[in-house]
Amino acid sequence: MTRKFFGTDGMRGLTNSEPMTAETALRVGQAAGAHFLRGDHRHRVVIGKDTRLSGYMMESAMVAGFTSVGMDVVLLGPMPTPAVAMLTRSMRADLGVMISASHNPFHDNGIKLFGPDGYKLSDDTERAIERRLEKAPKLAKAEMIGRAKRIDDARGRYIHFAKSTFPEQLRLDGLKIVIDCANGAAYHVAPEALWELGADVVALGVTPNGTNINDGCGSTHPQSLQAKVIEEKADIGLALDGDADRLLVSDQNGRLVDGDQLMALIASQQKRSGLLKGGSVVATVMSNLGLERRLATDKIGLIRTQVGDRYVLEAMREKGCNIGGEQSGHIILSDHSTTGDGLVAGLQVLAVLVREGKPASEILDQFEPVPQLLRNVRFDGGAPLDTTKVKARIAAAEAELKGHGRLVIRKSGTEPLIRVMAEGDDLAQVERLVDDICEAVASA
């Protein structure tokens, strides 16, 4: 069964257009709630959201859906995605929901679902929920309709959890840290956690107004962070995205570091400490070849998956690995979290900074990336990757790069885009091949 609503990371789209309408959100609440009504206990769902204006509408609709099938609802308000996953487990909930479109602009929104174990739902479970969306819901009897309750201490619970992942014997005293929260879900908790650990905190992107999430700030627009690090003469800068499951880092000179460098840093530290599990790091096909080469110097393997942090996590669980992630900054540290957590990943980087006592530029520069180019081509329906012209261009590029680089072509799971990535030791060759394929896709 082809999934109609769910993509690589839950559901996502333009607000007030299908599937991101209040009506569909209500139906998803009913379908997901009915799927997790198991056993005789009083059932509970935890709902968090980011700071989008449409979050109010989507939250209310989902509350109506869940309560109508007999589920109680606990409302967290604006909270990072990893906080929802953590609180789903700690509150013994049957289901967790994050209303967010992650790094997308404010006019988009999305729905991410977590099982009672705090992990994102499997493809099979999402398909089962989609099948329920095709049928009329079985509504609860009047006396069994669910209740909704908003809790006030969710922020404090998550801050305590995040701090617990930082080594007890260490503090951040003496470090000036710039953190950009993208006017998103972590606008309160991330600066507070760093301050409680002793840091001198300079906070950006902490004045959400419903429409400025990810707008010229956060991990998708890190230029403000980089400039502020230099202006403040800070030791390091951290950039989160709208739902705070993604992290990019700036060194003291304003140089940006991506998820590949962060995984190399954390994995090498774990290996030296005897804490690395599975002997490998799990990353996607988009991670730089330089990461693979760097890990090999420490006798650490690299397992690649298709794009999507859920697939990274599935491979981590299957192979027994405790570090995985994506070049974009999703870092999953399964000793602490069941999903990507930008704040927790940042704290592990800061722990290395404190232990080493070296400038951020020295510890973050883990390897020289192989020249890599990623371009997106928007398309209007159809299947451009299936055309003879595009297939021929891809085949020719693969033949030319064989033994000297890689080519990854994929359709986005959240937007009408074809993503074209090539990497190799010859930048001019990489640029030419990407241009050729993008031209073919655009004219298909």
Side-chain angles (χ1 to χ4, degrees), residues 158-220:
Y158 176 66
I159 290 171
H160 175 76
F161 157 76
K163 287 166 53 186
S164 74
T165 71
F166 191 75
E168 285 188 8
Q169 71 276 19
L170 300 181
R171 290 181 56 86
L172 297 176
D173 293 358
L175 283 183
K176 178 178 276 193
I177 301 170
V178 179
I179 183 160
D180 187 342
C181 299
N183 290 314
Y187 76 96
H188 180 83
V189 294
E192 182 72 16
L194 296 176
W195 178 82
E196 290 187 16
L197 288 169
D200 178 3
V201 181
V202 179
L204 303 176
V206 290
T207 54
N209 62 15
T211 62
N212 62 358
I213 186 170
N214 300 314
D215 185 11
C217 55
S219 62
T220 49

Side-chain angles (χ1 to χ4, degrees), residues 310-390:
R310 61 187 297 172
Y311 303 113
V312 170
L313 185 54
E314 286 174 5
M316 290 173 65
R317 299 177 76 181
E318 179 184 344
K319 303 295 184 181
C321 300
N322 61 342
I323 298 176
E326 299 184 279
Q327 188 182 67
S328 60
H330 284 114
I331 310 293
I332 303 172
L333 304 172
S334 61
D335 288 342
H336 305 300
S337 304
T338 57
T339 188
D341 191 322
L343 176 58
V344 168
L347 288 173
Q348 311 320 302
V349 172
L350 293 172
V352 178
L353 191 66
V354 173
R355 283 197 182 107
E356 297 288 332
K358 298 177 181 177
S361 56
E362 291 188 29
I363 70 163
L364 293 173
D365 188 14
Q366 289 288 305
F367 62 87
E368 184 66 32
V370 172
Q372 185 183 80
L373 183 61
L374 170 65
R375 288 192 182 145
N376 298 321
V377 184
R378 190 167 292 274
F379 66 96
D380 299 318
L385 295 183
D386 294 336
T387 65
T388 302
K389 180 181 179 181
V390 173

Side-chain angles (χ1 to χ4, degrees), residues 71-380:
M71 262 200 168
D72 290 337
V73 178
V74 176
L75 296 170
L76 306 178
M79 289 290 289
T81 288
V84 173
M86 182 273 291
L87 289 167
T88 298
R89 287 183 298 159
S90 70
M91 298 188 72
R92 309 299 192 271
D94 300 278
L95 181 64
V97 178
M98 179 63 181
I99 301 172
S100 173
S102 189
H103 57 280
N104 286 26
F106 88 94
H107 49 66
D108 292 339
N109 215 329
I111 299 170
K112 302 179 185 182
L113 301 178
F114 295 91
D117 56 2
Y119 289 97
K120 290 180 181 178
L121 302 187
S122 67
D123 290 346
D124 288 343
T125 301
E126 288 183 346
R127 290 189 188 98
I129 292 172
E130 288 212 353
R131 285 193 291 271
R132 288 181 179 272
L133 286 169
E134 303 298 325
K135 301 181 293 185
K138 182 180 179 181
L139 301 179
K141 295 180 180 179
E143 66 273 15
M144 297 302 293
I145 291 173
R147 302 173 183 269
K149 176 182 179 180
R150 190 174 298 275
I151 62 172
D152 298 323
D153 63 345
R155 290 175 176 176
R157 296 189 195 195
Y158 176 66
I159 290 171
H160 175 76
F161 157 76
K163 287 166 53 186
S164 74
T165 71
F166 191 75
E168 285 188 8
Q169 71 276 19
L170 300 181
R171 290 181 56 86
L172 297 176
D173 293 358
L175 283 183
K176 178 178 276 193
I177 301 170
V178 179
I179 183 160
D180 187 342
C181 299
N183 290 314
Y187 76 96
H188 180 83
V189 294
E192 182 72 16
L194 296 176
W195 178 82
E196 290 187 16
L197 288 169
D200 178 3
V201 181
V202 179
L204 303 176
V206 290
T207 54
N209 62 15
T211 62
N212 62 358
I213 186 170
N214 300 314
D215 185 11
C217 55
S219 62
T220 49
H221 302 280
Q223 296 82 5
S224 295
L225 172 82
Q226 294 168 277
K228 197 68 173 178
V229 167
I230 295 172
E231 176 190 334
E232 293 283 341
K233 295 182 172 57
D235 296 287
I236 196 169
L238 310 178
L240 307 175
D241 66 337
D243 68 336
D245 64 355
R246 181 183 297 200
L247 170 74
L248 295 181
V249 177
S250 167
D251 69 16
Q252 79 279 9
N253 300 317
R255 176 177 172 270
L256 198 66
V257 171
D258 65 15
D260 284 348
Q261 299 279 1
L262 301 180
M263 284 189 284
L265 171 66
I266 296 170
S268 63
Q269 288 291 315
Q270 295 273 38
K271 179 70 180 288
R272 284 196 286 273
S273 303
L275 300 175
L276 184 70
K277 298 176 183 176
S280 297
V281 169
V282 179
T284 75
V285 294
M286 302 301 288
S287 278
N288 195 276
L289 185 59
L291 170 62
E292 190 170 343
R293 293 171 178 172
R294 168 64 183 87
L295 294 175
T297 64
D298 281 340
K299 295 182 171 55
I300 301 172
L302 180 67
I303 300 169
R304 292 186 184 270
T305 73
Q306 62 180 301
V307 172
D309 63 320
R310 61 187 297 172
Y311 303 113
V312 170
L313 185 54
E314 286 174 5
M316 290 173 65
R317 299 177 76 181
E318 179 184 344
K319 303 295 184 181
C321 300
N322 61 342
I323 298 176
E326 299 184 279
Q327 188 182 67
S328 60
H330 284 114
I331 310 293
I332 303 172
L333 304 172
S334 61
D335 288 342
H336 305 300
S337 304
T338 57
T339 188
D341 191 322
L343 176 58
V344 168
L347 288 173
Q348 311 320 302
V349 172
L350 293 172
V352 178
L353 191 66
V354 173
R355 283 197 182 107
E356 297 288 332
K358 298 177 181 177
S361 56
E362 291 188 29
I363 70 163
L364 293 173
D365 188 14
Q366 289 288 305
F367 62 87
E368 184 66 32
V370 172
Q372 185 183 80
L373 183 61
L374 170 65
R375 288 192 182 145
N376 298 321
V377 184
R378 190 167 292 274
F379 66 96
D380 299 318

